[in-house]
Amino acid sequence: MARWRPDAAKRLTEAALDLFAEQGYENTTVIEIAERAGLGKTTFFRHFPDKREVLFGGETMSGLLADAITAAPAAATPLEAVAAAMDRAGREVFTPARHERVAARRAVIAANPELQEREALKGLGLIAAMTDALRRRGVPDLPSSIAAQLGALAVKIAYDRWIDAAGGEEFGAVAQRTLSELRAATALV
Amino acid sequence: MARWRPDAAKRLTEAALDLFAEQGYENTTVIEIAERAGLGKTTFFRHFPDKREVLFGGETMSGLLADAITAAPAAATPLEAVAAAMDRAGREVFTPARHERVAARRAVIAANPELQEREALKGLGLIAAMTDALRRRGVPDLPSSIAAQLGALAVKIAYDRWIDAAGGEEFGAVAQRTLSELRAATALV
């Protein structure tokens, strides 16, 4: 079997999720993950610095949200640009086909404080990436920070709502509704 | 010299700050910190789980902000309660007498990614503590989260402004002005 595959990172993440669900995060080794994916340990470490990181896809999400904010129409308000980023996340990351895997990932993270810590830091990375992207659009510092924080809060709340929703509503729609609720709630503080 | 002292945690933090400034965070051991404070290693670990934590004072700041929010008048809006907490932080933590030490602490943290990570996680702890305190006042979930996020952002921005300000303005005043600016900026997102 060829060791090089263009989708190695994705295969490793899927193998890891399966193994974590079957036998627990702590009981799973990097070698087992690589073997399950039909790859070697060296390939694993070419894609991820450690076992934790296999669940966090490098900087994919930060980059995707920042790119979408940059690509939003020039006339869009800060929150409209953030809403466009939510939509992109729904089309490219939190897709209907991945719903079950995202739910499994959340369960693995919820069971492990070390993973929760990594997730919290990734959340801060999201905020920083969105803040920078908004500033590059010419939005002043404070509104950039606030819109990015509201965006990150919307992602976090919508992530749970989307996983828990039975109806199969798209992530982008859930996130945009959440963002509108947050926008309205700023008047209540 | 007696090993038990009521102010051991404070002495250890001050000794650590001095040593970090003199010889760097990485080059300083827990034993050196304890010795400089006139205490033993065992005492150190009774107060702090590791070397990093000596700069973060356990849960002091989270608890202080949450207590102040709880103690705010019943008629206070969420942001007024948060503003009262900023004032408390200025009276009890970021006092004029500690200005120089807080500046030294910031410099140590800025030079070390491991400490920056710990500080980022502590920031998330602040948000969680303030959110919970606001909910216990009967504020609904979303406004509680938003007010806590704005409060944490105000603490972060005001911390830099207060350290960098030459005039010696009190932290509480700087933070409350920052919070007002953030409140106004929510209209611009």
Side-chain angles (χ1 to χ4, degrees):
Chain A
M1 182 189 291
R3 292 257 145 175
W4 186 86
R5 292 166 173 275
D7 59 347
K10 185 167 161 269
R11 289 161 54 83
L12 286 163
T13 298
E14 293 186 355
L17 265 176
D18 287 344
L19 286 164
F20 295 164
E22 284 165 29
Q23 60 192 39
Y25 170 80
E26 289 83 355
N27 302 325
T28 302
T29 66
V30 164
I31 293 176
E32 286 175 298
I33 296 168
E35 274 175 7
R36 175 72 65 102
L39 298 164
K41 188 176 148 188
T42 310
T43 305
F44 182 95
F45 286 115
R46 201 151 53 225
H47 289 279
F48 304 107
D50 58 38
K51 187 173 75 169
R52 281 198 288 186
E53 201 65 21
V54 74
L55 287 180
F56 296 99
E59 297 305 320
T60 314
M61 189 65 158
S62 293
L64 178 144
L65 294 177
D67 287 351
I69 287 171
T70 302
T77 66
L79 278 190
E80 284 167 355
V82 169
M86 309 281 111
D87 220 44
R88 175 88 69 96
R91 286 198 309 275
E92 300 187 14
V93 181
F94 300 133
T95 60
R98 288 208 191 119
H99 189 275
E100 206 176 316
R101 281 196 175 278
V102 175
R105 175 181 175 278
R106 181 179 67 169
V108 171
I109 293 171
N112 187 290
E114 195 181 279
L115 292 173
Q116 286 164 39
E117 187 173 301
R118 183 72 64 108
E119 186 172 52
L121 289 168
K122 291 284 173 184
L124 293 173
L126 283 192
I127 293 172
M130 290 195 281
T131 303
D132 285 348
L134 288 163
R135 284 182 183 160
R136 284 195 304 271
R137 289 175 64 85
V139 179
D141 285 1
L142 294 188
S144 290
S145 289
I146 292 167
Q149 299 243 11
L150 292 177
L153 199 52
V155 168
K156 197 177 159 209
I157 295 170
Y159 172 83
D160 282 328
R161 288 178 171 177
W162 177 70
I163 291 174
D164 295 334
E169 194 182 5
E170 293 202 347
F171 177 82
V174 178
Q176 294 202 16
R177 194 173 60 244
T178 306
L179 197 58
S180 297
E181 288 175 30
L182 287 170
R183 178 79 185 82
T186 60
L188 307 175
V189 302
Chain B
M1 185 190 288
R3 292 255 144 179
W4 186 85
R5 290 166 173 276
D7 59 349
K10 184 165 161 272
R11 290 161 54 83
L12 286 163
T13 297
E14 293 187 355
L17 264 177
D18 288 343
L19 286 164
F20 296 164
E22 283 164 30
Q23 61 191 39
Y25 170 79
E26 289 84 355
N27 302 323
T28 302
T29 66
V30 164
I31 293 177
E32 286 175 296
I33 296 168
E35 273 175 8
R36 175 71 66 101
L39 299 163
K41 189 176 146 189
T42 310
T43 306
F44 182 96
F45 287 114
R46 199 150 55 222
H47 289 279
F48 304 106
D50 58 39
K51 188 174 76 169
R52 283 199 284 187
E53 201 64 22
V54 74
L55 286 180
F56 296 99
E59 297 305 320
T60 314
M61 188 65 157
S62 293
L64 178 144
L65 294 178
D67 286 352
I69 287 171
T70 302
T77 65
L79 279 190
E80 285 168 355
V82 169
M86 309 283 111
D87 220 43
R88 175 89 68 99
R91 285 197 310 275
E92 299 187 15
V93 181
F94 300 133
T95 59
R98 288 207 190 121
H99 189 275
E100 205 178 318
R101 285 197 171 274
V102 175
R105 174 182 176 277
R106 181 178 67 167
V108 170
I109 293 171
N112 188 291
E114 194 181 280
L115 293 173
Q116 286 164 39
E117 187 172 302
R118 183 72 64 108
E119 186 171 51
L121 289 168
K122 290 286 172 180
L124 294 172
L126 283 192
I127 293 173
M130 289 194 283
T131 303
D132 284 349
L134 288 163
R135 284 182 183 158
R136 284 195 305 270
R137 290 174 64 84
V139 179
D141 284 1
L142 294 188
S144 290
S145 288
I146 292 168
Q149 299 244 11
L150 292 177
L153 199 51
V155 168
K156 197 176 160 212
I157 295 170
Y159 172 83
D160 282 327
R161 288 178 171 178
W162 177 69
I163 290 174
D164 296 333
E169 193 183 5
E170 293 203 348
F171 178 82
V174 178
Q176 294 202 15
R177 195 174 60 245
T178 305
L179 197 58
S180 297
E181 288 175 30
L182 287 169
R183 178 79 184 80
T186 60
L188 306 175
V189 300

